[in-house]
Amino acid sequence: MASLFHQLQILVWKNWLGVKRQPLWTLVLILWPVIIFIILAITRTKFPPTAKPTWDSSTWNSCDGWMAQIFFFCISEETDSRYRVMVAQ
């Protein structure tokens, strides 16, 4: 256990030497996440989240919606029964 504590102490000391020898890089490492967070906070306040409508199950079966026209969700009973027959064979 003493060896583990000693290794940790040497690692912290080595890190401190790097901080002391390169103060500008240390400052950049500290300020970079702060700047990114400030940009995100400003963006969030300028463009607040908006509530989207919930999904309605009645629109899933309608064949006149834009989603049905794009993805061909309109399946008639004949097509559905033929599909089931083809799978059963």
Side-chain angles (χ1 to χ4, degrees):
M1 193 62 149
S3 173
L4 181 66
F5 180 71
H6 185 67
Q7 285 179 355
L8 181 63
Q9 184 180 8
I10 291 174
L11 191 62
V12 169
W13 176 69
K14 181 182 175 184
N15 190 23
W16 172 249
L17 285 179
V19 166
K20 205 164 78 169
R21 290 177 183 163
Q22 297 179 343
L24 183 64
W25 181 245
T26 304
L27 188 66
V28 168
L29 286 177
I30 293 171
L31 288 181
W32 183 246
V34 173
I35 291 169
I36 296 295
F37 179 76
I38 290 171
I39 291 171
L40 286 174
I42 290 171
T43 305
R44 181 72 185 242
T45 56
K46 292 241 182 215
F47 304 103
T50 57
K52 292 184 178 179
T54 58
W55 182 72
D56 186 15
S57 63
S58 64
T59 59
W60 180 260
N61 296 327
S62 68
C63 290
D64 55 351
W66 65 270
M67 197 181 297
Q69 292 172 2
I70 293 174
F71 297 109
F72 307 108
F73 283 147
C74 301
I75 299 174
S76 65
E77 292 297 324
E78 297 170 9
T79 311
D80 194 26
S81 65
R82 275 190 261 148
Y83 177 73
R84 288 185 189 148
V85 170
M86 288 174 53
V87 171
Q89 291 176 351

